Amino acid sequence: MNSSILYHIAKNIDFEALPVLWKDIDFNKFSEHKSLYPYQREALQNATKIIYKFYDNFIDNETAKKQFLKLNEQNGLNKDLQTRFFTYSDTESTAYNILSEYFEEEDYKLSAWNFINRMSFWMATGSGKSVVLIKLIELLQNLMSNEVLPDNRILFLTHRPDLIEQLQEHIVEFNEYAKKEKGIEFIVRDLREFPEQEMNGNLFKDTQINIYFYRSDLISDIQKENIIDFNNYDNNGKWFVILDEAHKGDSEESKRKQYYNILSRSGFLFNFSATFTDEIDILSTVYNLNLAEYIKQGYGKHLYLFQEQFKNFKTTEDNKDFEEEEKQKIVLMSLIMLAFVKKQAEKIRTEFGAEYFHNPLLLTLVNSVTAKDSDLYLFFRELEKIAKKEVDNTLFANAKSTLQNDLYSVKSAEFEGIELFEDVEIASIKNLTFDEILKYVFNANTSGDFEVRRNPKNKQELSFRVKSGANSEPFALIKIGDIKGFEANNLANYDIEEEFDNVSLFENINDSSVNILMGSRAFYEGWDSNRPNIINFVNIGTHKDAKKFILQSIGRGVRIEPIKNQRKRLLPLINDGVIKNEVLKAKVKEVNLLESLFVFGTNQKAILSVLETLKGEQQEEEHQLSLFEKDIFSHPLLIPVYKNASSNNEKRLKRLRINKEDFALYNDIVETMNEKAIAFNFNLKYEDVAILTEKQKDSKNFKQVEHERIGKVGPVVKHILNYYKNIPEEVDTFSKVEEEIIHYNKISVNTSKTGSETSIEFKRLAELKNKIKKAKNPVDKEQVKNEFKQALANSEIDIDEYTEQIEKLKYEASSGTETFTHRNEEINIKKLLNHYYFPTVISGKDRIKWMKHIIDTPSEIEFVNALEKHLKEDDNFFSQFDWWKFSKIDHSLDKKVRIPYIDPYNGKRNFLPDFVFWLQKENEYHILYIDPKGTGRSEYQFKVDGYRDLFVENEKVKEFEFGDKNLKVHLRLATEDTAILGDKDFYKKYWLEPNNFDIELDE
């Protein structure tokens, strides 16, 4: 399966380098109480980059599409892929006949460039794609208001009414925040309102943004009561069409897919799904967080697929069930697994509190529901037998033994290839008693019959309790489309009690006593719970349409929330610095059961094929190397902590750099329009108008330049306001580095997943891991030699043994660098003196394609090599201090180690130096940032200005008191040629040559 072209394009574009109007949006907040996760922000940034590449210097749609196709070709979209997935050439096909009325034919085909205006978001169930979708709408609206996108309309399509309702609920939440903070509001309208709305116009179009919606499965080429003819809403193809799980079928002959192409032909098509199967969607994926990636990145539970299957629930050709004992055994195994996990949950939650983790749940999904002897009833019947203790002791022991053996064989989690469970832990299953099954599964102290309960007003739920139960809390719940059929065919001999509290157990499942949830495909979407730890798929996976259902269901099951509002596994939260509780850190291994989803299925091969599809979507697999350790150090390593300045320090904003033609537009507006007219025409508050008029009075507020032209008055006004409403930051305090530097926890290696290369690269990976371990604890040969000499002198060994040991020592790892070469690229693994973590991985020459988050930028490599050389000198710069320490800073992960500054073109920015040094002599404490990059652009001046605003006063470095320390912060930039700055350059004092560590710390 081919990898994404668009993701490859996006990852090579620097978001911060985009023009100001393209990044004039906040990707951090969704609502008052909801912030975006890092992966959601990255998805939106990637989308922005691709939209920019399509619409930058936009002339017309045909030109934009053809230029965009060229960009795709440069990044791997070859002619074969274009022909197979983006071109329509069968003139007899339904798709061709539909599309040819709207797209230009060339040599009896519809060329690929016509359909290149699309992108896909491949995001797992539970990853919050609705948040991304709504923020994408905000992005599109923002770009249209900035007049860098055509003024198209926005259309949202999905295939179920409840998903439309879900979107509307999210928009209500978004609007509450957006109206207050941004003065905008999304109005959700039925697509059938479109003609009337367009005819009447929208007087409040700058503040009230129409989002049209409809069910994708009701889009057709005919008009009926609910089915609509897309031609009546065509709008000349000027739609930004957003599809949410709207793709149907796997063939290009799907007529609806062509309607979407037509509606977006003069706009863009955005496709969201957790389960893409079409190659065109995969090729155009701009961000991939599918189920495999979701789990690998720590956002979902580990996934285990049992070999033991629900095959006994099938029927033979003569329509007879398999052996009853086998039916009971597999159900019993799933209950034992549930009790085993719940017992561990009880232990963890008793120790740390009920707010930690969740109450585990067994989810059983069946194919047939209401018929007599349906899958649901067969499972239910075996459940009751077990509750009544109609289980042979030998069978119970056999079930535990089979479960243990299965766990021994599947210790490696799907997608991750890591083993989490110790044999001792698995062996403890045999100690589980039947009474514990009653306690943890059935909420009962003794065995007994079932009691059935229902609410007359709820026709989709039935709950069950054991009559002998210690309390009246139900242990199981059936949630299906209509319970009447199940009752009539399967519960005729049961007394059914009616409840009238009108509370849905399913809607409150997270706080419920229910331990087993049974149902069918009716509820695999539209609910959110972190409770499932076991899923039974009974007779699901044997049908060709089961793939999406399996993925969606597992997506529901992998959700995790160890602590409130933190949806990531415990170890990633520790690595990210979110969890700092040392006692909880020590329990990482003990929570593996709670952080795992165990799957039983009727057809293991069918489920495996679904998972293998996800594994095969990437040509490479990423392996995180948890082999690096933070050095234990007694002295505090401090970094500045910032806050918004108490007053908007005008002088720190400097003069806004603005294109001279843009300035003329702005100047003309202020001089020819009164304040009321400006407020009305640009939808501004009067305090904003006051800023515009006040700044225009003094030409010193602006520096006119020839480049960076916006060209449109509305965006120019917005840009000026955004800049002058910036609040600079100031130093608040200093804090000890805890988890602000985390990139060493994220160092990873990509290995090939294709053909014979796989096994070879896994061997190389093992070799690399071994070398890292050796570099972590290198052998000091001189010390060992001296020890042998002393032993010989003391007659503890004889000369022959001494000679033998010295000879062996030749082949031991040295105390120097371990070298590893792969794909013709060399890395060095070494214990850098006084580095924050060890060992450190440094590229031999340039950027490494197969390893992430190491030192592999040429300027950084040269700097480290020069530092090592300098430290060999007796009287080196660092020898004057009582102690010193330093660390590499990874710009993508260590973003809290920063210097905020004002870019006079763009506003607030963060300068992330490449290295930070901590140095102390007596009570004089120094933080020294060093950034070894070339002078290149004049941007370095703005960074130095930002540093000076914060840490320099009256040409002297500020001194901060921190405890018993006098603390100063210093900055140096390194370049090979400081001469280019000129002798009188104000900034020259901040530059040093990379190979020269004759640093003079400023007074």
Side-chain angles (χ1 to χ4, degrees):
M1 189 171 283
N2 295 288
S3 58
S4 170
I5 304 293
L6 291 193
Y7 180 75
H8 181 70
I9 294 171
K11 75 177 183 179
N12 291 310
I13 300 172
D14 179 7
F15 181 78
E16 291 298 327
L18 296 182
V20 62
L21 292 180
W22 285 86
K23 54 192 180 189
D24 174 30
I25 185 171
D26 175 19
F27 285 147
N28 294 307
K29 293 281 288 183
F30 177 79
S31 62
E32 190 69 40
H33 303 292
K34 187 178 291 181
S35 297
L36 275 70
Y37 290 108
Y39 64 82
Q40 293 171 320
R41 293 197 296 270
E42 186 179 349
L44 289 160
Q45 287 182 352
N46 282 3
T48 308
K49 295 172 189 178
I50 296 303
I51 297 169
Y52 170 73
K53 281 296 183 181
F54 188 88
Y55 284 105
D56 185 35
N57 299 318
F58 182 80
I59 300 172
D60 57 61
N61 276 287
E62 180 175 339
T63 304
K65 287 182 179 182
K66 289 180 176 178
Q67 289 175 346
F68 194 55
L69 177 61
K70 286 181 182 178
L71 180 63
N72 277 258
E73 289 172 341
Q74 292 164 3
N75 286 272
L77 187 65
N78 58 42
K79 295 297 181 184
D80 176 58
L81 293 173
Q82 290 180 44
T83 301
R84 287 163 58 198
F85 305 115
F86 288 87
T87 305
Y88 295 86
S89 55
D90 182 1
T91 56
E92 301 299 318
S93 71
T94 303
Y96 188 95
N97 290 333
I98 293 172
L99 294 169
S100 59
E101 293 184 33
Y102 298 87
F103 295 92
E104 186 178 341
E105 296 180 57
E106 298 170 342
D107 299 325
Y108 302 102
K109 66 180 181 182
L110 303 176
S111 297
W113 65 264
N114 287 289
F115 310 102
I116 201 70
N117 56 326
R118 60 186 298 140
M119 71 172 68
S120 305
F121 296 80
W122 199 346
M123 303 187 72
T125 301
S127 62
K129 59 185 172 70
S130 295
V131 169
V132 176
L133 190 153
I134 292 170
K135 290 294 285 187
L136 172 67
I137 293 173
E138 183 189 3
L139 170 66
L140 293 172
Q141 178 57 36
N142 201 57
L143 293 174
M144 284 190 283
S145 66
N146 285 346
E147 301 183 35
V148 294
L149 291 193
D151 188 21
N152 289 355
R153 299 295 174 261
I154 296 171
L155 173 61
F156 169 79
L157 299 172
T158 191
H159 68 291
R160 294 214 319 263
D162 59 306
L163 296 180
I164 292 174
E165 289 172 12
Q166 195 176 82
L167 176 84
Q168 291 172 319
E169 289 171 5
H170 276 95
I171 286 178
V172 168
E173 180 185 357
F174 171 84
N175 278 342
E176 288 176 358
Y177 177 74
K179 280 194 289 186
K180 182 173 70 174
E181 297 296 324
K182 306 173 185 182
I184 61 170
E185 178 182 13
F186 289 166
I187 309 297
V188 182
R189 298 188 183 278
D190 189 300
L191 180 58
R192 289 171 293 189
E193 297 177 40
F194 175 71
E196 182 181 353
Q197 284 293 320
E198 289 301 295
M199 183 181 299
N200 295 333
N202 183 3
L203 292 175
F204 306 100
K205 65 178 182 179
D206 292 327
T207 57
Q208 294 186 348
I209 297 95
N210 287 332
I211 302 170
Y212 294 96
F213 72 90
Y214 213 68
R215 274 181 44 188
S216 55
D217 57 326
L218 298 180
I219 303 290
S220 182
D221 56 1
I222 57 173
Q223 190 82 22
K224 293 185 177 179
E225 183 178 358
N226 290 319
I227 296 173
I228 66 171
D229 185 347
F230 76 95
N231 288 289
N232 295 334
Y233 309 92
D234 179 55
N235 194 35
N236 295 315
K238 294 179 179 179
W239 287 101
F240 290 125
V241 177
I242 299 174
L243 307 176
D244 182 22
E245 301 290 358
H247 51 290
K248 291 285 183 180
D250 296 319
S251 168
E252 69 171 13
E253 299 298 320
S254 168
K255 294 169 71 174
R256 275 190 294 271
K257 290 180 184 177
Q258 313 320 325
Y259 303 151
Y260 308 151
N261 282 329
I262 293 166
L263 289 169
S264 63
R265 67 189 182 279
S266 297
F268 215 92
L269 182 65
F270 303 91
N271 205 346
F272 285 78
S273 182
T275 55
F276 282 128
T277 54
D278 284 3
E279 194 90 18
I280 191 171
D281 296 321
I282 296 166
L283 287 167
S284 57
T285 293
V286 75
Y287 190 75
N288 179 9
L289 194 75
N290 63 22
L291 182 63
E293 289 298 319
Y294 191 67
I295 291 174
K296 283 195 289 186
Q297 292 188 33
Y299 292 103
K301 297 186 182 92
H302 303 292
L303 181 62
Y304 288 84
L305 178 60
F306 283 115
Q307 294 179 346
E308 195 69 17
Q309 303 171 39
F310 275 85
K311 57 182 181 291
N312 45 291
F313 277 77
K314 297 179 185 177
T315 54
T316 58
E317 289 182 5
D318 58 358
N319 210 32
K320 290 182 179 178
D321 292 339
F322 278 79
E323 293 295 325
E324 291 296 314
E325 188 175 281
E326 285 299 306
K327 266 197 201 72
Q328 194 172 88
K329 179 182 174 182
I330 188 66
V331 174
L332 195 53
M333 284 175 62
S334 65
L335 301 188
I336 292 168
M337 195 67 221
L338 174 62
F340 187 51
V341 179
K342 282 182 72 73
K343 187 176 179 180
Q344 184 66 11
E346 182 183 63
K347 177 185 174 184
I348 295 293
R349 299 177 87 194
T350 298
E351 185 171 352
F352 291 99
E355 70 273 15
Y356 285 91
F357 287 96
H358 57 275
N359 179 18
L361 175 79
L362 165 65
L363 179 61
T364 294
L365 300 170
V366 300
N367 189 47
S368 59
V369 176
T370 56
K372 189 173 183 180
D373 289 340
S374 63
D375 301 329
L376 180 59
Y377 177 69
L378 292 178
F379 182 86
F380 171 80
R381 187 180 67 184
E382 297 306 324
L383 206 58
E384 186 172 36
K385 287 181 185 177
I386 295 167
K388 291 161 72 173
K389 214 171 184 178
E390 295 175 2
V391 178
D392 184 81
N393 289 337
T394 304
L395 180 65
F396 183 56
N398 188 10
K400 289 193 288 184
S401 177
T402 303
L403 185 61
Q404 280 181 267
N405 292 334
D406 212 332
L407 277 171
Y408 285 136
S409 66
V410 295
K411 283 189 288 187
S412 291
E414 299 291 335
F415 309 130
E416 298 171 284
I418 54 176
E419 295 186 5
L420 296 173
F421 304 117
E422 303 289 341
D423 289 352
V424 175
E425 187 178 14
I426 296 172
S428 65
I429 290 177
K430 70 176 181 292
N431 300 324
L432 206 68
T433 66
F434 196 87
D435 285 343
E436 286 178 313
I437 301 293
L438 291 173
K439 172 187 174 182
Y440 291 114
V441 175
F442 295 101
N443 297 336
N445 295 326
T446 59
S447 56
D449 294 323
F450 281 177
E451 179 179 277
V452 187
R453 295 182 178 183
R454 72 175 174 204
N455 187 320
K457 295 182 180 180
N458 189 331
K459 297 180 180 180
Q460 295 183 322
E461 297 180 18
L462 284 173
S463 65
F464 304 87
R465 64 180 291 270
V466 176
K467 288 183 179 179
S468 62
N471 54 53
S472 60
E473 295 296 314
F475 77 91
L477 176 70
I478 287 178
K479 167 75 166 63
I480 53 181
D482 190 343
I483 57 176
K484 287 183 179 179
F486 184 81
E487 282 184 19
N489 291 322
N490 302 297
L491 300 180
N493 297 325
Y494 290 81
D495 292 329
I496 300 178
E497 292 192 10
E498 294 194 339
E499 298 176 316
F500 299 93
D501 55 8
N502 204 26
V503 174
S504 165
L505 278 176
F506 179 68
E507 290 179 3
N508 296 278
I509 197 69
N510 284 349
D511 302 314
S512 168
S513 65
V514 167
N515 300 317
I516 300 174
L517 178 58
M518 296 172 277
S520 64
R521 302 185 185 201
F523 71 100
Y524 77 93
E525 285 183 331
W527 65 293
D528 182 1
S529 176
N530 55 3
R531 289 190 60 193
N533 276 101
I534 297 98
I535 294 183
N536 296 329
F537 288 110
V538 181
N539 285 343
I540 291 170
T542 57
H543 303 287
K544 65 180 182 180
D545 63 342
K547 177 177 179 178
K548 181 176 178 179
F549 174 63
I550 291 170
L551 284 177
Q552 293 276 31
S553 303
I554 292 175
R556 295 286 161 191
V558 298
R559 296 183 179 194
I560 189 77
E561 194 172 8
I563 58 177
K564 190 171 179 62
N565 298 324
Q566 294 296 332
R567 295 198 168 194
K568 217 173 186 183
R569 296 194 302 269
L570 185 63
L571 182 58
L573 287 175
I574 291 171
N575 290 340
D576 291 347
V578 175
I579 291 178
K580 298 181 181 180
N581 184 321
E582 293 299 326
V583 180
L584 192 58
K585 285 182 181 181
K587 299 290 181 181
V588 166
K589 288 189 177 180
E590 294 185 34
V591 304
N592 284 334
L593 275 172
L594 289 175
E595 295 191 332
S596 298
L597 178 68
F598 302 91
V599 177
F600 294 91
T602 298
N603 187 333
Q604 188 208 34
K605 287 184 179 178
I607 297 174
L608 261 178
S609 69
V610 172
L611 302 182
E612 287 297 328
T613 300
L614 288 176
K615 292 179 187 177
E617 278 148 13
Q618 305 249 340
Q619 300 303 309
E620 292 190 322
E621 189 165 16
E622 187 173 303
H623 300 268
Q624 190 166 310
L625 302 176
S626 301
L627 301 168
F628 302 86
E629 295 181 28
K630 186 166 65 174
D631 196 4
I632 299 173
F633 196 61
S634 59
H635 299 287
L637 305 178
L638 303 172
I639 58 170
V641 176
Y642 307 98
K643 65 179 180 179
N644 281 341
S646 52
S647 61
N648 190 349
N649 191 342
E650 291 281 329
K651 68 176 184 179
R652 288 178 56 196
L653 284 178
K654 308 190 185 309
R655 301 166 68 189
L656 172 61
R657 267 66 166 175
I658 185 170
N659 179 273
K660 64 179 184 179
E661 294 180 34
D662 290 341
F663 182 77
L665 290 173
Y666 157 64
N667 204 44
D668 185 58
I669 287 293
V670 175
E671 291 187 350
T672 60
M673 298 174 68
N674 61 41
E675 292 187 358
K676 285 186 178 180
I678 295 174
F680 178 79
N681 279 278
F682 298 101
N683 187 35
L684 299 178
K685 299 175 182 177
Y686 283 109
E687 53 263 38
D688 291 341
V689 176
I691 293 173
L692 289 174
T693 55
E694 185 64 29
K695 294 302 175 187
Q696 189 265 350
K697 292 176 183 176
D698 189 348
S699 61
K700 291 180 181 179
N701 288 320
F702 300 91
K703 181 176 181 179
Q704 297 181 49
V705 296
E706 298 289 338
H707 51 290
E708 301 282 346
R709 182 169 181 256
I710 296 172
K712 297 176 181 177
V713 66
V716 168
V717 167
K718 189 174 182 180
H719 176 47
I720 293 169
L721 274 175
N722 285 346
Y723 182 78
Y724 277 109
K725 289 171 77 174
N726 272 310
I727 301 176
E729 292 182 83
E730 62 186 13
V731 178
D732 183 19
T733 184
F734 290 83
S735 68
K736 184 179 177 181
V737 173
E738 294 287 351
E739 304 294 342
E740 287 80 4
I741 299 174
I742 60 170
H743 71 269
Y744 65 93
N745 280 322
K746 307 289 184 180
I747 292 175
S748 59
V749 173
N750 290 335
T751 59
S752 173
K753 293 181 62 182
T754 56
S756 61
E757 291 183 22
T758 305
S759 59
I760 295 171
E761 293 212 351
F762 268 106
K763 289 178 182 177
R764 305 281 353 255
L765 180 60
E767 180 187 345
L768 171 61
K769 288 180 178 179
N770 188 47
K771 292 204 170 194
I772 291 171
K773 288 177 182 177
K774 284 183 177 180
K776 189 186 293 186
N777 300 296
V779 174
D780 189 332
K781 290 187 176 182
E782 290 304 315
Q783 182 181 339
V784 175
K785 280 181 183 179
N786 290 333
E787 289 173 358
F788 283 134
K789 283 180 182 178
Q790 190 64 44
L792 179 63
N794 295 339
S795 299
E796 295 171 6
I797 58 174
D798 58 26
I799 188 65
D800 290 335
E801 188 175 351
Y802 172 79
T803 305
E804 181 184 350
Q805 294 296 338
I806 295 299
E807 189 65 25
K808 281 183 180 178
L809 195 59
K810 291 180 182 179
Y811 302 101
E812 289 286 342
S814 72
S815 57
T817 301
E818 292 288 334
T819 302
F820 182 79
T821 304
H822 183 54
R823 301 184 189 174
N824 297 318
E825 294 173 332
E826 182 179 280
I827 60 170
N828 297 315
I829 310 159
K830 60 179 73 175
K831 252 191 168 180
L832 283 180
L833 180 65
N834 290 0
H835 196 249
Y836 181 69
Y837 64 89
F838 64 95
T840 311
V841 182
I842 307 169
S843 167
K845 186 179 180 182
D846 208 335
R847 286 199 180 276
I848 298 296
K849 297 175 183 175
W850 48 271
M851 200 167 189
K852 293 181 180 178
H853 306 303
I854 64 172
I855 297 175
D856 64 352
T857 302
S859 60
E860 295 172 4
I861 298 167
E862 183 180 351
F863 177 81
V864 170
N865 291 339
L867 174 62
E868 286 192 289
K869 184 178 178 182
H870 176 71
L871 291 173
K872 292 176 182 177
E873 299 173 7
D874 293 334
D875 190 23
N876 62 65
F877 166 74
F878 300 95
S879 62
Q880 63 183 294
F881 299 99
D882 298 334
W883 64 264
W884 67 278
K885 204 83 176 168
F886 85 109
S887 182
K888 163 76 174 80
I889 302 302
D890 188 298
H891 293 185
S892 63
L893 297 170
D894 308 325
K895 295 186 178 182
K896 291 183 180 178
V897 185
R898 65 187 180 100
I899 300 174
Y901 71 99
I902 301 293
D903 178 343
Y905 289 99
N906 295 287
K908 289 173 73 168
R909 300 280 293 273
N910 281 315
F911 172 30
L912 307 175
D914 289 331
F915 294 92
V916 57
F917 287 78
W918 298 274
L919 316 106
Q920 184 169 342
K921 185 175 182 178
E922 297 176 348
N923 70 332
E924 299 296 323
Y925 189 105
H926 303 273
I927 300 172
L928 170 62
Y929 294 114
I930 298 183
D931 196 61
K933 289 186 176 70
T935 49
R937 301 163 56 189
S938 62
E939 187 182 348
Y940 76 87
Q941 298 175 4
F942 310 144
K943 294 176 179 177
V944 173
D945 289 342
Y947 159 76
R948 287 174 57 82
D949 286 338
L950 293 162
F951 302 109
V952 177
E953 191 169 44
N954 298 324
E955 295 306 317
K956 285 191 175 184
V957 176
K958 288 181 184 178
E959 188 169 277
F960 298 86
E961 288 186 8
F962 190 85
D964 61 348
K965 301 172 181 64
N966 297 321
L967 191 151
K968 293 182 179 180
V969 180
H970 310 268
L971 173 66
R972 289 294 181 274
L973 311 175
T975 180
E976 293 180 358
D977 184 13
T978 56
I980 65 172
L981 299 168
D983 292 337
K984 296 182 180 180
D985 194 297
F986 174 81
Y987 300 93
K988 188 172 183 178
K989 63 181 289 188
Y990 293 99
W991 288 88
L992 54 87
E993 295 176 6
N995 297 328
N996 183 358
F997 281 86
D998 292 331
I999 303 171
E1000 204 172 303
L1001 295 180
D1002 304 300
E1003 292 296 327

